[in-house]
Amino acid sequence: MEDQALAAATADRIDGKAFADGLVARMAAEVAQIRADTGLLPGLAVVLVGEDAASAVYVNAKHRQTMAVGMASFVHRLPAETSQADLLALLDQLNADTAVHGILVQLPLPAHLDALEVIERIDPAKDVDGFHAVNAGRLATGQEALVPCTPLGCLMMLKDRLGDLTGLNAVVIGKSNIVGKPMSQLLLAENCTVITTHSKTKNLPDLCRMADILVVAVGRPGLVRGDWIRPGATVIDVGINRVEENGKSRITGDVAFEEAGHAAAITPVPGGVGPMTIACLLANTLTAFRRRHSLPAVSLAAE
């Protein structure tokens, strides 16, 4: 009977696209006000090395959305054979450019380039991806930092849904520098009790069943089954996986979505976390601009 009741329940879908659209609209209004008050514009520089098709799509999308909110967009497209020295020299120029407040180097880079050295060359104050060791360290120690875009978007949606997160049990599946680790740090900063898990964790289903908040970011389709999820939990599925079924391709998350109806709310894939990433990139650029010009922080939370 309990299983039937769980199967009959329907979790609310957390609409990441609608949330991102609202965030973008609020940023556009904020940028317009900044321009009216100061005559200045936040500027985002994106560097693309090579001709990776997926990366080119992402860069084009970032350029369009940057322009749509009224920010200045600087796209640097470099040939695949660009040397490490030439790429670092470009970053030095962008670090020194007062019109540029955010710098992003699109990953992955061609195999002959050292991505870690490239990331570490970016001025931490302009590191809108939040990948620089200085930003990672500042986040871990509770200081002001630029935060990786995906976990930042997850946190925004969680706070919008749940309000104050104090005292909630949060389980994060994944320990990457891009999502898992910063997500855990953000939840700790919100006074959650956080368990960070990964592929080597023992008794993972039992740990998940303790979670008021479950964030999954491992890139394994359908890893989290319905009976791993506590009734009433809020589930954030960061996974984006392409699977083949009966000769057709579809996109799915890391959570068995059709089994999660007893959750209070869940992000669908697609349409959940994904749309928030570029929106939060622009939010980080706006944050970097305000810090650079010693302007007070402004909340971009929905009213």
Side-chain angles (χ1 to χ4, degrees):
M1 292 294 294
E2 182 179 356
D3 289 343
Q4 291 177 354
L6 293 182
T10 302
D12 288 345
R13 294 191 179 206
I14 301 174
D15 190 338
K17 184 179 185 307
F19 193 100
D21 288 345
L23 178 58
V24 166
R26 294 190 293 276
M27 283 190 289
E30 181 63 22
V31 170
Q33 188 64 54
I34 286 172
R35 185 170 189 172
D37 292 344
T38 69
L40 301 173
L41 283 179
L44 173 63
V46 178
V47 179
L48 174 63
V49 184
E51 299 177 356
D52 180 81
S55 292
V57 169
Y58 295 147
V59 167
N60 290 337
K62 289 166 184 173
H63 171 69
R64 288 194 304 270
Q65 290 206 27
T66 304
M67 297 294 290
V69 298
M71 294 184 186
S73 177
F74 309 98
V75 179
H76 297 265
R77 302 177 188 272
L78 305 179
E81 62 272 16
T82 297
S83 69
Q84 186 85 359
D86 286 345
L87 178 53
L88 295 178
L90 172 60
L91 293 178
D92 289 342
Q93 293 174 24
L94 296 176
N95 286 337
D97 189 339
T98 58
V100 173
H101 304 91
I103 301 170
L104 178 149
V105 177
Q106 185 65 46
L107 302 176
L109 291 170
H112 69 282
L113 297 174
D114 183 339
L116 181 58
E117 184 182 18
V118 168
I119 291 168
E120 292 299 301
R121 192 62 161 254
I122 298 171
D123 180 351
K126 297 186 178 187
D127 167 39
V128 287
D129 256 340
F131 294 165
H132 196 289
V134 167
N135 281 317
R138 292 181 68 85
L139 176 62
T141 53
Q143 300 180 68
E144 185 178 85
L146 289 170
V147 178
C149 302
T150 299
L152 178 60
C154 293
L155 183 67
M156 286 183 179
M157 291 190 291
L158 284 168
K159 293 179 72 173
D160 180 71
R161 172 79 194 184
L162 300 173
D164 186 3
L165 306 184
T166 296
L168 296 181
N169 293 330
V171 173
V172 178
I173 308 180
K175 59 175 183 176
S176 73
N177 293 332
I178 296 173
V179 180
K181 290 177 183 176
M183 188 75 251
S184 294
Q185 296 295 340
L186 287 170
L187 290 166
L188 278 171
E190 295 295 328
N191 298 312
C192 292
T193 300
V194 182
I195 301 174
T196 303
T197 68
H198 47 79
S199 61
K200 302 295 191 296
T201 298
K202 295 180 180 179
N203 302 319
L204 182 57
D206 290 336
L207 293 173
C208 290
R209 293 183 190 111
M210 299 169 57
D212 301 305
I213 295 169
L214 179 61
V215 182
V216 191
V218 288
R220 292 177 59 184
L223 170 70
V224 174
R225 313 308 303 186
D227 65 356
W228 295 24
I229 299 169
R230 186 184 67 77
T234 299
V235 181
I236 305 293
D237 188 351
V238 183
I240 301 178
N241 311 288
R242 186 175 296 277
V243 298
E244 300 290 334
E245 290 182 351
N246 302 319
K248 295 183 179 180
S249 176
R250 67 182 181 93
I251 301 297
T252 187
D254 291 346
V255 178
F257 185 84
E258 66 282 357
E259 300 177 13
H262 55 288
I266 186 171
T267 54
V269 179
V273 174
M276 287 296 293
T277 301
I278 295 179
C280 287
L281 172 68
L282 300 179
N284 274 347
T285 303
L286 188 53
T287 295
F289 172 88
R290 286 193 162 277
R291 291 174 181 171
R292 170 67 179 82
H293 294 283
S294 301
L295 298 175
V298 173
S299 173
L300 292 170
E303 296 295 330

